[in-house]
Amino acid sequence: MTEYKLLELPYEYDALTPHISEQVMKWHHDVHNQGYVDGANNAEEKLRRQRENNDFSSTGSILNSFTHNFCGNFLHQIFWNNMSPEGGGEPEGELMQKIEKDFGSYGNWKKEFKAAASSASGWALLVYIPRENELHNVAVDQHDEGAVWGAHPVLAVDVWEHSYYHDYGPDRGDFVDNIFELINWSDVQNRYNEVSGTFS
Ligand SMILES: [Fe+2]
């Protein structure tokens, strides 16, 4: 049985100020992300007990909890690493060429991604779909509603209220603009390289 662990942030809690406050990073990582780790472990344990007891009466709700918490932890791990105190700017090289090919231009991609971030009740994602050899934006509610099968997130922006409300109030657009000052494009490029190699 897999045991999920809370991964360390790749920087200090206050490293992303003034765009994201130390307080928000502490709550977001130590409370919310930890909650998804605990939730995924709890679900695994309950599934194990059900198998042991040959009692599958609660399987549906446990699996729903597993998906919610596993996906929450998975996306937060990408989100933390997609940001850096030295972030910002624009993608380069192969990733930029692929964005321009699949979206027409970087500007088009950015406008569409920001629209996804504005409408989603969860996450805005840039994903790579190997079977189509295509980058695509996705708007996800919660951590999984609206997910695309077979797609790999390379950029994840958390637009749950716990991500920005303490710092920005209801102005989610200002928060998303500030996230663009933090995007670690070399991490996004590495993720794209990793999954685009699976295209055949
Ligand atoms: Fe979050």
Side-chain angles (χ1 to χ4, degrees), residues 18-164:
H19 308 293
I20 303 177
S21 67
E22 179 178 5
Q23 179 64 79
V24 165
M25 290 304 293
K26 280 185 174 166
W27 281 332
H28 203 164
H29 178 264
D30 294 5
V31 180
H32 293 279
N33 195 169
Q34 181 72 62
Y36 301 127
V37 170
D38 294 343
N41 284 328
N42 287 341
E44 293 281 22
E45 175 61 21
K46 285 179 183 169
L47 289 170
R48 187 188 64 76
R49 264 191 256 131
Q50 281 208 144
R51 293 170 196 139
E52 256 179 28
N53 298 330
N54 195 29
D55 171 10
F56 299 94
S57 55
S58 303
T59 297
S61 63
I62 299 169
L63 288 178
N64 286 343
S65 174
F66 168 75
T67 300
H68 175 80
N69 287 290
F70 176 93
C71 293
N73 183 42
F74 178 84
L75 290 177
H76 280 93
Q77 288 176 2
I78 296 174
F79 181 48
W80 306 137
N81 286 284
N82 277 162
M83 296 187 289
S84 163
E86 287 84 41
E90 296 183 356
E92 297 173 355
E94 282 180 30
L95 178 60
M96 183 58 122
Q97 287 169 16
K98 186 65 174 156
I99 286 173
E100 288 173 343
K101 181 168 183 287
D102 291 350
F103 295 92
S105 68
Y106 173 76
N108 277 355
W109 168 77
K110 188 172 179 179
K111 278 186 252 180
E112 188 177 292
F113 188 85
K114 286 170 80 167
S118 165
S119 70
S121 300
W123 297 82
L125 306 177
L126 172 63
V127 303
Y128 177 71
I129 307 174
R131 61 180 291 160
E132 316 296 349
N133 185 24
E134 188 174 66
L135 288 168
H136 216 287
N137 286 326
V138 180
V140 171
D141 294 339
Q142 297 289 314
H143 300 304
D144 56 313
E145 295 169 18
V148 176
W149 303 125
H152 301 271
V154 295
L155 172 64
V157 173
D158 186 342
V159 292
W160 282 58
E161 287 188 356
H162 66 228
S163 198
Y164 65 91

